[in-house]
Amino acid sequence: MTGPGFVHLHIHSAYSLLEGALPIATLLDMAVKDEQPALGIADSSNLFGALEFSEKAAAKGIQPIISCEVRIDFADQEETRTVRPKDEKNAIVLIARNELGFTNLSALVSRAYLQSDDGTANIKLDWLTPKNVQGLICLTGGPEGAIDPLFKNGAEEKAEVRLALLKNLFGTNLFMEIQRHSTPDEKTVEPHLLAYAYAHDIALVATNEPYFPTVRDYEAHDALLAISQGSVVAQTNRRKLTDQHYFKTRQEMLKLFHDLPEAVDNTVLIAKLVNFRPRTLDPILPSFSVKEGATPQEAQ
């Protein structure tokens, strides 16, 4: 392999609460072993791990890419179950390209929690203004995102409306996310995604969405998902992933997307576009003047 090859952009660390089972330390050890030059986490609806990941990744010589998988309220939901499947998260991934982007992303996530009606952090579509999305790169979210479930359930027109809205907001910073975890839904939806992307000049990006370290961890992670839903492993009518949602190597991803080299190349392009990471700062304390010769009690 010459060059970076592939860069992960949609990883769920252990900070994706009751979803992710990838501690930061484990994630970075695996990335170092695979000689990955850059790495992006996109935890669900929070930035809890951003600073820890940034500092620890940089210390190991890995470029940290900070993003968040955020739920968007498009205000276009019907009650019809065929159009609104219960596993639809309406999520997109927002990547902080620079300091302004990280500031905007932090503000959007914070506002989603502060103005939540039901404890779910949803970002309303009208919060995404040209000003508020400056410095952000947008991925369409993958199989559980804001677009794929609509194509899966025959709601092509609504999917295209949403894509047009995102394209208008993000322009060339919008990327059509393609995932391959060997599921029937992904195989059904992918031709729709490719056709729309090519017709409307939206760049493709290949992503793996790992929730756990290796294939061997699948069953334990499936139990975690069952617990998060107040269910049991034997229950079939619940959210389930596959044993392919593990942290793949660069070589595995290149092989998986050998027929879409542009989608793999764009993972590296996005990493090159990112030029910011959060850093630990010293506390900012007010300045007090103390009279010369004052006792410690007087100084206080």
Side-chain angles (χ1 to χ4, degrees), residues 1 32 40 54 66 75 92 136 147 154 159 186 203 217 229 233 240:
M1 184 189 302
V32 168
S54 172
I66 306 301
I92 59 176
L136 293 174
I147 305 301
E186 289 172 342
D217 300 298
Q229 298 167 82
V233 172
K240 291 178 69 71

Side-chain angles (χ1 to χ4, degrees), residues 240-292:
K240 291 178 69 71
L241 300 176
T242 74
D243 63 1
Q244 293 302 300
H245 285 83
Y246 70 93
F247 185 75
K248 294 183 173 69
T249 65
R250 292 182 295 154
Q251 196 64 52
E252 286 177 302
M253 291 303 295
L254 288 173
K255 181 178 180 181
L256 188 61
F257 284 93
H258 66 91
D259 58 322
L260 276 181
E262 63 186 282
V264 176
D265 291 343
N266 281 335
T267 67
V268 180
L269 170 65
I270 290 173
K272 290 179 178 180
L273 291 174
V274 174
N275 59 17
F276 169 80
R277 73 174 182 89
R279 299 172 184 265
T280 301
L281 301 175
D282 293 330
I284 301 174
L285 302 175
S287 177
F288 293 99
S289 60
V290 179
K291 294 181 181 179
E292 186 176 351

